[in-house]
Amino acid sequence: MSSSEVESALIAFQARDYDECLSCLDRLSHSKDSKVESNRWLVEYLRDGQVNTKDYILQLRSIETEPSEEAKQINKYNEALLLFQVSDVSGAEKIIQPLYTSSTTRKACDRWSFSVGLLYGDILIRSRDEQAMQIFKEMEDRFSVLLGSDSNLALNFHALKGHAHLQLGEYEDAQEEYQKMEKRSDRGNDIRMASLGARIETQKKQYDLALEHLSKCEGKDKERGIFCHNMGCIHHSMGKHHTSLWYLTQSIQNETEESNKGEKEANMKENRRGEVIVSVGYQLLMTGKYEKAFTCLMEGLRYNLRSSRLWLRLAECISLHHHTKYVQSKEAASYKRVRESDEKVILLGTTETSAGEPMSLAFASKCVCNSIYLSDTFAKEGRDAVITKGVLRASLLLSGYIHLCSHQPNLSLEHCKRLLSISNDPQERCLAAIYAAESLCLLNRPNEAIQVLKESSVEKMKEDIRTNTREIESQYLYSLAMASSHLVKRRMYRRRYPSGTERMPLCCPPISVSSEAIKRERESN
Amino acid sequence: MLNPKELSTLLSIIAEDEKSLENVSIQFHKTFQKQDVFKVECCLCSLLSEGLIFEITHRMVAYYLLYDSYRTDTLHANPFLQLFIQILKEPNVSQAEKFFVGSLANAPSKEFSKKSAKDLTKIVATTPIQTDTLSQSYHNHINIPPLSIQFRGISSILLPPDRSTKTKVLADSECMEELLREGARDFVPPFVRPAPPVYPGFHSEDIKWVTGVSHSFAWDDNMCKGRSNLDALLERASTTPLEQRELQEVTQLMSEASTQALEVALSSDQLVDVIEHNTQVAVGFILKMMSTATIDTYLGALERTQMSLQSMEVVNQLTSTVELPSPFLLRYINNCIDQCQRYKDKFTQQRMVRLVCVFISCLVRNKIIQVKDLTPPSSSVQSFCIEHSKIREAASLFRLLKNLETPNGNGI
């Protein structure tokens, strides 16, 4: 009978025996029930190791005629979970939010509604939305019975709620959630509990305690990926970027090994790889390995094109790489002697990479412009206001530098002026003023250059506790002198030589002149 | 700053002195990318200030290009403004050239841009020019002291220390290439340009904690649930009469279900049971299956079913709704007649005979079945009626058949 087939399919699904489950679903296919088809797609996706995510999303979206509202909701939930896994947080949020709203009318012991709420809360945490806490409070009231009866659900709930508290800086509340988890957990080395405890201590800068928390889960193979990743987070907060890098690469290697062993449900799914790659790229950037950082960040772009921070990091890689090469080339300036003569010729080495290279200033210009565009877009949408402003300011400052290096003083000036109008940070203002002044001098407007430098007062900067204050101050004063020198009102140089003289470009053989030029000079005189 | 190929391209553009200035400007902006335009313009400025562009028309095109890029801004915003002022003050520059440069200060009209450099040279040659006025007009626009001089560093072009040293003559192009090569321009103290620091951001921005919480995909528990209800109701219908609510539900479910599902849900044997307990359900089922290939199976079962009021009611309702095949009806009637003969109990037999006769009469009167099909030897109805002639319904049926058989009757 078909009802027993339905039960068999469910039992096989819960036991993760996907082949058997598919066999049961095959026998039910005559019923032409679209729900059988939906379940079949799900089982095939899980059986194949959750790699064909895009295909599965397209299948879910292709169902248009679903008579049952419940079935629609289940498909929508699965779609939201998929988008969440591929880091399309905004897409996932758009789908899950109406589901959550409609689920509030259902019974309080409904596990389906609880799952929807938990996923919604996790999505809001990931998008740093403060509404996450409100969702968790509502759920705590609605599902008190369910939370009391099911320990696993309770641990999931308190873990996420604790992380939500930490995002709001509420350490005490996060600690309370941790203690609730301790009471409900039957083992002391639950990875969820350990991760929350470690994060609490990390944010309080108690790194030893953080490491102690996490080390409880060190030996467990299946959770090693999470363990390594979170160890990377701790060391990143400690400023130990090399160690952090080591742990993050270990987490990627572990996840790859688990997949190779056939562990279809490795804890760190393939789609989280994108986030880890970006974290690795950031550590490489902080440790000065710009080219490798660039490669990792470009890989991370595949998973998230709409990250303004990611574009900013790419531009930083290129600009620091360029700056390093420029400094090295100045130190190793080549001296070329052109023919035997009384003059020596000094040739300055060029540091400009060609536009065709991946790490070129032209590409850096595109990256930083993308970052500015996305930051403006997110600001209009009201997303992550504090972080968006910070990224925008950093992008404008970097743009000022990059466009100066690539001989685009107009664009550099425009962005520096914009930054000066929105930033109160002394170091940012000082650097922006330096770039703006150079741009204005290149554009033959030294008056304005001096004005810009004077307006971005260096006095405020002295209050800053950062150690490079003195260096910035000296650079600022140098720029001021440079701009002023452009206005020296004395005749230092004649454009045209007096009659009878000859001119020669310095870098030519020293006794060569242009015949036409001589002729013109003589004719004019 | 410019390689020889780029220099050659630039020189070929400014040599277009027969094209309109507007078109030359368009060509210039198409040739060089936006991010390189300022660099090229600086090189053009160097060539002009070092007197390395020798044709006046070429120089006019060059001045126009330097002006045109900043025409939408104020004159003061043009970074090459000082070059224009210098040209106006330079005693060795021709009047025509000064007039051209001066005209640029007064926001020339569109007609000006549509002319070529050669055309403008001819116009200028016939127009009296006052260079002091032109120079003043520049200063009026920008309001700077007339004697301001730009300090641009030490030129890369120096006087040779010893004039008696023999000089090797260079071609103009080589001279230009050397001048515009990177690092070979004016020697100015370089600006210190510190690289901005890496954006520190917040702790959790670039590197996110993993919470360890995993979400499971949802399995649709309602799979086949509707069908199961139908199965259950049909199963129940085959054993017991359904309630009104159940009747409505099963009718609704059957209308939504596919014929394949119904075929699976109710076999022909089960249909016989449903007929006995729920005639409405049986009628609805058979009507739903009428268009399928398996209807013959279900009708065959109906034929062989135990003769009863319910089965006859089903057939009667079916005949009033759809056109049942005549052979089926004949076989069904013959089956009923055979079953009547087998009853041993007289009372029951009589009752059954009456039912059959009324049923056949109904079919005949409604013209569902043809009289000729009921005459021997195709049918044993008449002999059946004769055999049970003592029963009133049988006698009525016989008379009916006979009346309809005669030429006066409606022998259908």
Side-chain angles (χ1 to χ4, degrees):
Chain A
M1 290 300 291
S2 58
S3 57
S4 64
E5 290 292 349
V6 170
E7 285 168 13
S8 303
L10 178 58
I11 291 167
F13 177 76
Q14 287 171 340
R16 297 183 185 180
D17 186 354
Y18 299 125
D19 291 325
E20 174 59 27
C21 185
L22 282 173
S23 302
C24 296
L25 291 171
D26 281 339
R27 292 192 282 273
L28 291 168
S29 60
H30 65 272
S31 62
K32 306 291 183 199
D33 189 350
S34 59
K35 300 186 194 75
V36 173
E37 200 63 23
S38 302
N39 283 340
R40 161 184 285 283
W41 290 334
L42 170 62
V43 175
E44 282 174 350
Y45 173 68
L46 293 172
R47 181 198 60 184
D48 296 337
Q50 302 187 48
V51 293
N52 300 322
T53 309
K54 286 185 182 169
D55 292 339
Y56 185 31
I57 291 176
L58 287 172
Q59 283 170 331
L60 288 172
R61 288 178 181 169
S62 68
I63 296 175
E64 291 177 356
T65 54
E66 182 51 60
S68 161
E69 192 56 36
E70 271 188 29
K72 273 185 201 167
Q73 290 188 338
I74 287 171
N75 288 336
K76 287 288 180 194
Y77 171 85
N78 286 341
E79 188 182 344
L81 181 53
L82 284 166
L83 291 174
F84 181 58
Q85 285 185 346
V86 298
S87 304
D88 184 359
V89 179
S90 59
E93 190 177 337
K94 276 183 194 159
I95 294 172
I96 201 75
Q97 195 272 331
L99 281 186
Y100 177 75
T101 309
S102 65
S103 73
T104 52
T105 57
R106 293 163 72 121
K107 290 184 289 189
C109 57
D110 184 12
R111 284 173 179 264
W112 155 254
S113 301
F114 184 85
S115 302
V116 170
L118 203 67
L119 179 59
Y120 188 30
D122 204 354
I123 289 170
L124 289 175
I125 288 175
R126 185 77 69 84
S127 59
R128 303 184 64 86
D129 194 327
E130 294 176 357
Q131 202 189 354
M133 187 48 61
Q134 186 189 337
I135 300 299
F136 287 125
K137 284 182 180 167
E138 284 173 11
M139 285 178 69
E140 201 160 23
D141 293 334
R142 272 186 69 204
F143 299 102
S144 53
V145 173
L146 191 59
L147 287 170
S149 60
D150 192 322
S151 297
N152 190 45
L153 288 183
L155 285 172
N156 280 340
F157 176 79
H158 292 301
L160 288 181
K161 191 161 177 256
H163 284 283
H165 278 300
L166 285 174
Q167 269 193 359
L168 298 173
E170 295 165 353
Y171 302 140
E172 299 300 322
D173 294 325
Q175 191 69 40
E176 273 182 31
E177 297 302 321
Y178 178 79
Q179 283 161 3
K180 287 177 188 172
M181 289 177 82
E182 269 188 317
K183 288 177 192 167
R184 300 303 299 273
S185 175
D186 54 359
R187 51 185 184 130
N189 56 353
D190 185 280
I191 189 65
R192 293 166 290 190
M193 206 166 70
S195 298
L196 179 61
R199 190 177 175 188
I200 292 171
E201 300 303 337
T202 302
Q203 292 203 214
K204 291 198 285 188
K205 301 194 193 314
Q206 311 274 4
Y207 300 117
D208 291 338
L209 291 174
L211 291 169
E212 197 180 308
H213 271 291
L214 206 53
S215 59
K216 294 173 193 169
C217 302
E218 185 169 1
K220 300 166 71 176
D221 287 336
K222 282 197 176 178
E223 291 166 350
R224 184 160 176 81
I226 299 178
F227 165 78
C228 288
H229 183 98
N230 290 344
M231 285 293 274
C233 294
I234 296 173
H235 287 89
H236 165 75
S237 299
M238 291 163 73
K240 295 184 177 180
H241 299 291
H242 287 96
T243 313
S244 176
L245 180 62
W246 186 85
Y247 276 111
L248 289 171
T249 46
Q250 282 294 305
S251 73
I252 294 176
Q253 278 175 11
N254 174 263
E255 186 258 332
T256 309
E257 283 166 7
E258 290 292 310
S259 294
N260 290 340
K261 277 187 210 169
E263 285 288 334
K264 299 300 181 190
E265 298 211 5
N267 275 313
M268 191 170 302
K269 301 294 184 285
E270 171 64 25
N271 300 309
R272 292 295 302 277
R273 188 184 176 88
E275 287 187 359
V276 182
I277 291 271
V278 170
S279 304
V280 167
Y282 181 57
Q283 303 310 315
L284 288 166
L285 174 63
M286 297 302 285
T287 50
K289 298 183 177 67
Y290 304 124
E291 292 184 11
K292 288 182 181 174
F294 180 82
T295 306
C296 286
L297 294 173
M298 286 295 286
E299 173 71 17
L301 261 189
R302 288 203 302 127
Y303 298 92
N304 192 2
L305 273 176
R306 284 180 59 88
S307 169
S308 56
R309 230 172 344 98
L310 192 47
W311 287 107
L312 173 62
R313 295 295 177 213
L314 277 166
E316 281 174 345
C317 279
I318 299 171
S319 67
L320 286 171
H321 173 71
H322 166 86
H323 184 75
T324 309
K325 279 175 67 176
Y326 176 68
V327 167
Q328 285 170 358
S329 71
K330 276 179 77 174
E331 288 168 357
S334 60
Y335 291 77
K336 183 177 174 181
R337 195 165 184 167
V338 179
R339 304 268 178 100
E340 287 294 327
S341 72
D342 294 332
E343 289 111 35
K344 290 182 184 175
V345 176
I346 298 175
L347 293 179
L348 297 178
T350 177
T351 58
E352 192 166 329
T353 52
S354 72
E357 291 180 15
M359 290 188 78
S360 65
L361 287 173
F363 186 67
S365 168
K366 287 177 187 170
C367 290
V368 78
C369 288
N370 281 349
S371 180
I372 292 170
Y373 169 75
L374 285 169
S375 300
D376 285 337
T377 306
F378 296 156
K380 280 181 197 165
E381 292 171 3
R383 284 169 55 176
D384 254 345
V386 175
I387 294 172
T388 301
K389 278 185 191 166
V391 172
L392 176 63
R393 293 199 324 257
S395 302
L396 288 170
L397 184 64
L398 188 61
S399 173
Y401 175 78
I402 286 171
H403 290 112
L404 260 186
C405 294
S406 55
H407 307 290
Q408 298 181 68
N410 281 311
L411 195 50
S412 171
L413 178 65
E414 180 189 329
H415 286 162
C416 289
K417 281 194 167 178
R418 187 180 167 191
L419 178 61
L420 287 168
S421 69
I422 62 173
S423 172
N424 292 324
D425 182 271
Q427 188 179 19
E428 276 178 7
R429 291 183 64 81
C430 201
L431 284 171
I434 289 172
Y435 301 150
E438 185 178 350
S439 301
L440 285 164
C441 287
L442 285 175
L443 293 171
N444 242 347
R445 289 147 66 177
N447 277 337
E448 292 178 49
I450 294 174
Q451 194 64 32
V452 164
L453 287 168
K454 285 184 176 174
E455 281 171 5
S456 63
S457 168
V458 74
E459 294 301 316
K460 288 183 192 172
M461 187 180 58
K462 290 182 181 174
E463 297 166 8
D464 202 302
I465 59 170
R466 278 171 280 196
T467 55
N468 58 351
T469 302
R470 273 204 190 160
E471 188 183 341
I472 297 289
E473 182 181 356
S474 67
Q475 287 160 355
Y476 163 81
L477 291 172
Y478 180 86
S479 297
L480 193 55
M482 274 295 296
S484 301
S485 72
H486 279 57
L487 278 186
V488 166
K489 291 185 181 179
R490 58 193 177 93
R491 198 162 185 157
M492 292 289 294
Y493 172 71
R494 272 181 183 269
R495 281 273 160 234
R496 300 279 173 164
Y497 291 90
S499 58
T501 58
E502 293 163 345
R503 297 172 296 148
M504 57 184 172
L506 191 64
C507 296
C508 284
I511 50 177
S512 306
V513 294
S514 162
S515 58
E516 279 298 320
I518 296 171
K519 190 178 170 186
R520 283 170 57 81
E521 283 285 327
R522 287 180 179 159
E523 281 172 4
S524 64
N525 293 324
Chain B
M1 298 259 287
L2 283 187
N3 58 41
K5 189 181 171 190
E6 287 170 335
L7 174 63
S8 167
T9 307
L10 176 63
L11 292 176
S12 65
I13 290 175
I14 63 173
E16 300 272 9
D17 52 8
E18 290 184 2
K19 272 190 183 175
S20 67
L21 293 173
E22 190 179 37
N23 286 340
V24 175
S25 176
I26 291 170
Q27 186 186 352
F28 174 74
H29 286 282
K30 272 188 186 170
T31 306
F32 294 102
Q33 292 191 2
K34 195 176 172 185
Q35 60 264 23
D36 296 332
V37 163
F38 181 73
K39 181 178 73 170
V40 175
E41 286 170 351
C42 288
C43 295
L44 200 54
C45 182
S46 294
L47 291 175
L48 284 167
S49 55
E50 298 304 331
L52 289 172
I53 300 177
F54 304 116
E55 294 294 329
I56 183 173
T57 50
H58 297 182
R59 289 202 295 276
M60 285 165 82
V61 172
Y63 295 138
Y64 183 80
L65 290 176
L66 294 179
Y67 160 79
D68 193 51
S69 292
Y70 301 91
R71 69 186 306 163
T72 53
D73 299 326
T74 58
L75 198 58
H76 186 263
N78 192 319
F80 309 107
L81 179 64
Q82 292 300 330
L83 172 70
F84 298 146
I85 294 175
Q86 188 113 17
I87 296 296
L88 288 175
K89 295 149 73 67
E90 190 62 43
N92 297 328
V93 173
S94 67
Q95 295 294 315
E97 199 167 327
K98 287 188 180 180
F99 180 80
F100 182 86
V101 171
S103 304
L104 295 177
N106 290 318
S109 62
K110 279 190 181 175
E111 281 77 29
F112 186 93
S113 313
K114 289 192 190 311
K115 292 188 170 44
S116 67
K118 273 195 176 166
D119 293 338
L120 286 168
T121 314
K122 290 172 194 165
I123 292 171
V124 157
T126 57
T127 308
I129 299 154
Q130 291 181 352
T131 53
D132 290 339
T133 313
L134 290 172
S135 181
Q136 192 59 44
S137 72
Y138 253 110
H139 292 302
N140 290 343
H141 276 97
I142 57 177
N143 195 25
I144 60 168
L147 292 179
S148 145
I149 294 167
Q150 282 291 309
F151 174 66
R152 292 192 48 192
I154 303 171
S155 174
S156 56
I157 299 176
L158 296 182
L159 297 173
D162 182 3
R163 290 194 198 174
S164 64
T165 312
K166 283 185 183 175
T167 61
K168 179 187 171 187
V169 175
L170 257 191
D172 293 333
S173 58
E174 283 178 316
C175 204
M176 282 189 202
E177 283 172 17
E178 292 294 341
L179 180 67
L180 297 180
R181 196 160 44 82
E182 180 74 44
R185 297 192 59 222
D186 297 354
F187 286 98
V188 291
F191 265 94
V192 172
R193 192 188 298 159
V198 172
Y199 170 59
F202 294 89
H203 288 293
S204 57
E205 274 179 59
D206 289 288
I207 179 164
K208 293 184 171 56
W209 283 78
V210 177
T211 60
V213 171
S214 60
H215 303 274
S216 302
F217 285 95
W219 172 267
D220 196 337
D221 288 333
N222 294 323
M223 179 176 64
C224 297
K225 198 171 180 181
R227 299 294 175 271
S228 297
N229 273 348
L230 179 64
D231 285 347
L233 282 168
L234 286 174
E235 191 176 345
R236 198 172 137 73
S238 64
T239 56
T240 184
L242 296 178
E243 294 172 12
Q244 189 58 33
R245 177 185 59 81
E246 288 172 322
L247 279 173
Q248 286 172 353
E249 190 177 348
V250 76
T251 307
Q252 173 69 25
L253 287 172
M254 279 201 300
S255 65
E256 287 175 357
S258 65
T259 53
Q260 291 92 336
L262 286 176
E263 196 178 317
V264 171
L266 198 68
S267 65
S268 54
D269 296 332
Q270 288 169 313
L271 175 63
V272 172
D273 297 326
V274 173
I275 289 170
E276 289 308 311
H277 295 97
N278 294 280
T279 54
Q280 277 185 28
V281 175
V283 168
F285 182 88
I286 294 174
L287 285 174
K288 180 86 178 183
M289 301 300 284
M290 277 306 289
S291 56
T292 66
T294 52
I295 188 57
D296 293 332
T297 313
Y298 291 105
L299 290 178
L302 188 55
E303 277 173 33
R304 294 184 297 273
T305 191
Q306 181 72 24
M307 187 193 75
S308 63
L309 178 63
Q310 288 84 359
S311 68
M312 278 192 268
E313 181 61 32
V314 167
V315 175
N316 192 33
Q317 284 190 34
L318 286 173
T319 55
S320 61
T321 312
V322 295
E323 186 176 340
L324 289 174
S326 291
F328 161 73
L329 284 173
L330 286 173
R331 287 196 296 269
Y332 180 74
I333 290 168
N334 287 335
N335 179 48
C336 289
I337 291 170
D338 289 339
Q339 287 188 34
C340 280
Q341 309 292 36
R342 292 195 212 117
Y343 281 108
K344 291 185 180 165
D345 178 33
K346 289 282 184 190
F347 178 75
T348 308
Q349 189 187 52
Q350 283 178 7
R351 184 165 161 269
M352 287 301 148
V353 166
R354 281 203 287 274
L355 278 174
V356 171
C357 292
V358 167
F359 175 67
I360 297 171
S361 301
C362 198
L363 292 178
V364 169
R365 288 200 178 94
N366 292 332
K367 299 175 186 174
I368 292 168
I369 196 164
Q370 295 186 22
V371 173
K372 64 179 180 180
D373 292 333
L374 296 177
T375 54
S378 53
S379 173
S380 55
V381 172
Q382 288 192 10
S383 57
F384 173 73
C385 291
I386 292 167
E387 189 178 336
H388 298 281
S389 58
K390 288 182 183 175
I391 300 172
R392 187 180 57 197
E393 285 80 5
S396 297
L397 177 60
F398 186 80
R399 279 198 295 278
L400 176 64
L401 290 175
K402 285 298 179 189
N403 285 341
L404 290 174
E405 265 181 24
T406 59
N408 292 334
N410 206 355
I412 49 171

